[in-house]
């Protein structure tokens, strides 16, 4: 059977979509950052967006990569992150759902995503989505093969105001069918005494709205949590370092309570 020929989206001088940091890290924590960057491949131009829009939260999870990088170093943890904007294709959505390649993000139309033919959508999946998730798959399978305990931490951030509605939580912890580790981490965060912690806030994790944790953690029965930090708290280097230090101190406590 002839394989479909997809257009080349990434040129030879552009980096691959998946970056793996500290692959031989000894920590039980595996950090994932689906929306780490806001880069656009040269072939897609600016997706027709007005100037500055790609720098906003619609283009990436502001501050999440900075926190993840510091946390990786603090814990000696492996980090896998995505190098291109969520507006190219959202690597935390099933390609089968409409929001995988959003035509409107929050209130902003994305002209370069409108009226895509099926081959153009498949080309983005082949160039970005599948290589990123194959990298995660390979890292996890390698860890399991050497019997390295693994708790999957998906790092995200959220905007303080969404469609005019303020969000009061400093941090949210997301889970679907397996809430155990998220609730243990919530207890540890509450012990800090100065944080408003949301459980499945400001988002609820479902198979329709999330892909990474349901597929890579839940299907393997691995403990996990999705961490959402409010972007005004991690918008600069100081905030990113401070939150990495806090999570670097608290995640091992939750791990101990889990018995790992």
């Amino acid at each position: 059977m002839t394989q479909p020929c997809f257009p080349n989206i990434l040129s030879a001088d552009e980096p691959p979509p998946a970056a793996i940091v500290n692959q031989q890290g000894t920590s039980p924590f595996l950090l994932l950052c689906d929306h780490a960057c806001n880069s656009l491949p040269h072939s897609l131009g600016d997706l027709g967006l007005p100037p500055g829009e790609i720098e906003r939260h619609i283009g990436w999870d502001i501050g999440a990569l900075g926190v993840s990088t510091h946390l990786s170093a603090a814990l000696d943890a492996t980090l896998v992150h995505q190098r291109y904007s969520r507006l190219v294709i959202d690597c935390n959505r099933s390609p089968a759902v409409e929001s995988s390649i959003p035509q409107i993000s929050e209130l902003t139309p994305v002209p370069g995503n409108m009226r895509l033919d099926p081959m153009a959508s498949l080309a983005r999946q082949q160039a970005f989505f599948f290589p990123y998730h194959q990298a995660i798959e390979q890292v996890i399978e390698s860890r399991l093969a050497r019997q390295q305990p693994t708790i999957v931490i998906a790092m995200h951030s959220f905007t303080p105001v969404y469609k005019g509605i303020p969000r009061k939580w400093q941090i949210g912890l997301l889970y679907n069918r397996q809430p155990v580790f998220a609730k243990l981490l919530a207890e540890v965060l509450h012990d800090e005494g100065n944080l408003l912690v949301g459980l499945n806030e400001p988002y609820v994790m479902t198979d329709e709205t999330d892909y990474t944790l349901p597929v890579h953690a839940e299907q393997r029965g691995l403990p996990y949590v999705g961490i959402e930090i409010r972007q005004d708290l991690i918008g600069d280097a100081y905030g990113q370092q401070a939150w990495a230090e806090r999570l670097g101190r608290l995640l091992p406590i939750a791990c101990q309570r889990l018995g790992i």
Side-chain angles (χ1 to χ4, degrees):
M1 180 181 295
T2 302
Q3 295 295 318
C5 183
F6 297 107
N8 292 324
I9 298 180
L10 286 174
S11 59
D13 63 341
E14 292 180 291
I20 303 176
V21 178
N22 191 19
Q23 188 162 0
Q24 300 305 315
T26 60
S27 171
F29 298 108
L30 171 60
L31 307 175
L32 308 177
C33 197
D34 301 330
H35 306 141
C37 301
N38 63 351
S39 299
L40 296 172
H42 304 323
S43 64
L44 298 185
D46 59 8
L47 290 176
L49 292 166
E53 284 295 296
I54 196 67
E55 304 296 333
R56 297 177 56 241
H57 65 273
I58 65 170
W60 58 330
D61 278 358
I62 295 168
L65 180 58
V67 176
S68 300
T69 302
H70 289 306
L71 191 56
S72 169
L75 295 173
D76 189 27
T78 300
L79 163 64
V80 185
H81 71 83
Q82 223 278 120
R83 288 189 169 109
Y84 293 91
S85 173
R86 67 201 304 172
L87 295 183
V88 175
I89 188 167
D90 191 329
C91 284
N92 193 34
R93 296 286 186 279
S94 166
V97 302
E98 188 175 349
S99 58
S100 167
I101 301 177
Q103 298 185 41
I104 297 177
S105 184
E106 192 174 342
L107 300 174
T108 301
V110 187
N113 290 350
M114 294 179 180
R115 294 178 292 279
L116 290 184
D117 62 53
M119 285 296 287
S121 297
L122 285 171
R124 294 197 196 183
Q125 295 172 31
Q126 292 294 326
F128 303 98
F129 183 89
F130 291 119
Y132 174 64
H133 287 287
Q134 286 164 1
I136 297 172
E137 183 92 9
Q138 290 165 4
V139 167
I140 293 178
E141 288 303 315
S142 176
R143 295 170 68 93
L144 295 179
R146 60 180 184 264
Q147 298 184 324
Q148 181 174 1
T150 297
I151 301 173
V152 185
I153 311 292
M155 299 294 297
H156 295 269
S157 68
F158 65 95
T159 179
V161 178
Y162 182 72
K163 295 185 178 180
I165 300 175
R167 286 148 151 191
K168 55 190 177 179
W169 311 275
Q170 288 97 350
I171 185 170
L173 305 178
L174 308 189
Y175 59 88
N176 190 358
R177 299 172 185 86
Q178 296 166 216
V180 175
F181 189 74
K183 291 186 175 181
L184 286 173
L185 183 57
E187 292 174 3
V188 176
L189 285 161
H190 282 305
D191 290 345
E192 294 282 277
N194 59 351
L195 293 175
L196 189 58
V197 181
L199 280 172
N200 272 342
E201 298 287 359
Y203 308 105
V204 176
M205 182 184 294
T206 69
D207 292 338
E208 290 71 37
T209 59
D210 291 81
Y211 183 91
T212 299
L213 288 174
V215 168
H216 294 293
E218 284 198 335
Q219 290 185 10
R220 289 183 171 89
L222 295 174
Y224 71 88
V225 65
I227 295 180
E228 295 269 0
I229 306 172
R230 209 174 64 206
Q231 289 169 358
D232 59 317
L233 304 175
I234 55 172
D236 58 23
Y238 174 81
Q240 292 162 23
Q241 179 72 56
W243 271 91
E245 289 176 359
R246 170 176 267 163
L247 291 173
R249 175 169 50 84
L250 299 181
L251 279 167
I253 298 173
C255 181
Q256 290 173 357
R257 293 184 183 181
L258 188 65
I260 294 178

